[in-house]
Amino acid sequence: QSVLTQPPSASGTPGQTVTISCSGSNSNIGDNTVSWFQQLPGTAPTLLIYSDNQRPSGVPDRFSASKSGTSASLAISGLQSEDEADYFCATWDDSLNGFYVFGTGTKVTVL
Amino acid sequence: QVQLQESGPGLVKPSETLSLTCNVSARSINPYYWSWVRQPPGKGLEWIGYVYYRGSTKYNFSLKSRVTISMDKSQRQLSLKLTSVAAADTAVYYCARGVGTLVPTTYDIWGQGTMVTVSS
């Protein structure tokens, strides 16, 4: 059972902005940087955001992220059909001798 | 271009040991956290653990008693062994490269994944 909670689903029409939340605690989001991963259907996850709000080269600036306290969020603006995927937040958790933890995941549907 | 490629048996019997390898095509394994992550069918991602390039390891507390992760630096081959498997260990297993200083703060390169089914 993940300690990072995300809404199971989110949706929007092309061009809209979709926002996904990720709720954690002081031992994870509150104390460590957050990453976001995109998983297209049938493929491996890929890094979308690291260090709370940094995009790797090649990731469109339509994807943005922020963090405040023990919560983080990912925004997808100008939603496109190819954005339909599962999105996971993730971070290190300092409890239980330390471990990396992924969020529960959010399925984004483009209507 | 760093690439990771998992391989291993797709079917393992209950109570036996699951063994996977991941070939790392990279000029250097330094200074990364070479890790395994799994994903049961239709479910989320679960971190299994890592071996740091210097040799130290850390495992998910829920799997710690059954898992061993190691790295053959000369062969650039990452390995995973999971003992006493059960149906709940059925998943796609990914190897991934962790980046960070004291701990992995993100995973920037992932393998394509290999499906392992535990069944008699």
Side-chain angles (χ1 to χ4, degrees), chain A residues 32-35 37 39 43-47 49-50 88 91-92 96-104, chain B residues 37 39 43-47 50 58-61 64 94 103-113:
Chain A
N32 296 285
T33 61
V34 176
S35 295
F37 298 91
Q39 187 175 32
T43 68
T46 58
L47 179 61
I49 296 285
Y50 68 97
F88 297 91
T91 187
W92 187 261
L96 296 169
N97 202 35
F99 61 102
Y100 199 80
V101 60
F102 294 92
T104 50
Chain B
V37 176
Q39 185 172 36
K43 296 188 178 180
L45 300 166
E46 180 182 31
W47 182 77
Y50 70 69
K58 189 175 283 288
Y59 304 126
N60 188 318
F61 60 89
K64 187 175 182 179
Y94 297 100
V103 296
T105 56
T106 196
Y107 286 93
D108 64 343
I109 306 290
W110 294 67
Q112 65 183 30

Side-chain angles (χ1 to χ4, degrees), chain A residues 3 6 8 21 26 30-31 35 45 48-49 53-54 59 62-64 73 77 80 82 91 94-95 101 106 108 110:
Chain A
V3 296
Q6 300 177 233
S21 62
N26 288 329
D31 203 36
S35 295
L48 200 61
I49 296 285
N53 54 21
Q54 301 299 302
V59 173
R62 303 186 293 103
F63 294 92
S64 62
S73 64
S77 61
Q80 299 181 5
E82 58 260 39
T91 187
D94 297 322
S95 66
V101 60
T106 299
V108 169
V110 181

Side-chain angles (χ1 to χ4, degrees), chain B residues 86-108:
Chain B
D89 295 310
T90 293
V92 175
Y93 285 77
Y94 297 100
C95 56
R97 187 178 80 171
V99 179
T101 50
L102 299 178
V103 296
T105 56
T106 196
Y107 286 93
D108 64 343

Side-chain angles (χ1 to χ4, degrees), chain B residues 13 29 33 44 55 59 84 102 120:
Chain B
K13 289 182 169 56
I29 64 168
Y33 295 86
Y59 304 126
S84 304
L102 299 178
S120 55

Side-chain angles (χ1 to χ4, degrees), chain B residues 15-119:
Chain B
S15 81
E16 295 190 344
T17 295
L18 179 161
S19 294
L20 298 175
T21 58
C22 172
N23 288 315
V24 178
S25 65
R27 282 190 294 178
S28 175
I29 64 168
N30 309 345
Y32 302 106
Y33 295 86
W34 299 98
S35 307
W36 289 94
V37 176
R38 69 180 183 178
Q39 185 172 36
K43 296 188 178 180
L45 300 166
E46 180 182 31
W47 182 77
I48 298 173
Y50 70 69
V51 56
Y52 191 40
Y53 78 103
R54 288 179 173 172
S56 62
T57 56
K58 189 175 283 288
Y59 304 126
N60 188 318
F61 60 89
S62 66
L63 300 169
K64 187 175 182 179
S65 63
R66 299 195 292 130
V67 67
T68 302
I69 296 175
S70 60
M71 186 91 172
D72 183 331
K73 295 180 182 180
S74 63
Q75 298 294 320
R76 288 184 168 76
Q77 191 172 74
L78 176 68
S79 296
L80 169 69
K81 291 190 187 302
L82 185 65
T83 63
S84 304
V85 297
D89 295 310
T90 293
V92 175
Y93 285 77
Y94 297 100
C95 56
R97 187 178 80 171
V99 179
T101 50
L102 299 178
V103 296
T105 56
T106 196
Y107 286 93
D108 64 343
I109 306 290
W110 294 67
Q112 65 183 30
T114 186
M115 179 69 200
V116 178
T117 301
V118 178
S119 174

